[in-house]
Amino acid sequence: MIMKKLFPLIIALFGAMNVTVAQVKWAVDPAHTNVRFTVEHLGISFVDGEFNSFEGSVDAPTKTGFENAKVDFKINVNSIDTRIEARDKHLKSDDFFNAEKYPVITLKSVSLKKDKAGKLKLEADLTIRDVTKRVIFDVKQNGQNITDPWGKTRAGFTATTKINRLDYGIRYNDKLPSGVAAVGSDVTITVNTELVQQ
């Protein structure tokens, strides 16, 4: 009688173990990944930049599918690069990121699934300056998984979203005499990444 009750439990435990084992781990290839941002300047143009130091991982449910995968990303704020040293220094100050106090930006997925149109959507918690907000990325897989010349399996993605920097305490607000903001509040984020199966 006891064995009859234990048997379903044992099966369930083995099933859970199999699900865990089935997770396929991928690592971000930093040499073929970029994390870019674009923001309006003076109401007439856009300034862009990127972060040059980051790390990331993806745990996928299968070798070929990424729906329901778990995404974890960390960005080194001090690696910000807009090609202008003085501007980069300003962005690291408390007017913007306060890189000394908040040196890391993190992204942790909540869900990754297809919408009704069949497009991948990444819902994730984005933390900047210790403020965490839920964001939605539009995700596109670029082509199919491939095997590179060295025998590694790779997959490529582009993910985009738009955030309001004011929501994260980035409150620099100089304005022109006309009232136009020197730096816009909306920031477009684009991540182009290559993942390598581990």
Side-chain angles (χ1 to χ4, degrees):
M1 192 73 177
I2 294 174
M3 285 305 295
K4 285 183 178 180
K5 290 181 179 179
L6 283 177
F7 189 70
L9 179 61
I10 293 169
I11 294 297
L13 285 172
F14 272 103
M17 289 173 62
N18 286 337
V19 168
T20 303
V21 171
Q23 290 292 311
V24 179
K25 294 188 177 298
W26 299 75
V28 167
D29 178 0
H32 299 98
T33 296
N34 56 73
V35 181
R36 307 191 61 81
F37 59 88
T38 306
V39 63
E40 192 174 55
H41 180 243
L42 300 178
I44 60 169
S45 64
F46 290 87
V47 170
D48 70 314
E50 63 184 318
F51 294 94
N52 292 322
S53 178
F54 45 80
E55 60 184 37
S57 63
V58 175
D59 289 342
T62 69
K63 290 184 177 182
T64 57
F66 288 89
E67 195 170 2
N68 299 316
K70 294 179 180 179
V71 180
D72 193 349
F73 221 91
K74 293 179 181 178
I75 298 168
N76 179 358
V77 176
N78 280 292
S79 71
I80 197 167
D81 181 6
T82 65
R83 303 175 300 280
I84 304 294
E85 186 177 351
R87 182 165 60 208
D88 295 343
K89 185 177 179 180
H90 191 196
L91 288 169
K92 294 175 190 178
S93 76
D94 194 42
D95 277 347
F96 291 92
F97 290 102
N98 194 343
E100 183 176 358
K101 188 174 182 180
Y102 308 107
V104 179
I105 294 171
T106 64
L107 181 78
K108 291 185 178 293
S109 64
V110 175
S111 69
L112 178 59
K113 56 187 178 182
K114 292 181 180 179
D115 62 13
K116 292 180 180 179
K119 295 181 179 179
L120 275 176
K121 300 286 185 180
L122 171 64
E123 185 176 2
D125 287 333
L126 176 64
T127 301
I128 302 173
R129 288 183 62 119
D130 265 3
V131 177
T132 302
K133 297 286 183 182
R134 189 68 51 86
V135 297
I136 304 291
F137 281 83
D138 295 322
V139 180
K140 177 187 176 184
Q141 183 169 6
N142 303 313
Q144 303 295 319
N145 296 1
I146 60 101
T147 301
D148 68 20
W150 305 275
K152 296 281 189 177
T153 301
R154 291 177 178 263
F157 294 86
T158 297
T160 58
T161 193
K162 184 178 286 187
I163 65 170
N164 186 325
R165 64 180 176 84
L166 303 178
D167 292 341
Y168 294 88
I170 302 176
R171 298 194 170 274
Y172 178 78
N173 64 350
D174 277 8
K175 294 184 178 180
L176 300 177
S178 64
V180 174
V183 178
S185 57
D186 288 339
V187 181
T188 299
I189 300 170
T190 303
V191 180
N192 293 296
T193 186
E194 269 188 32
L195 304 178
V196 182
Q197 192 178 117
Q198 300 303 288

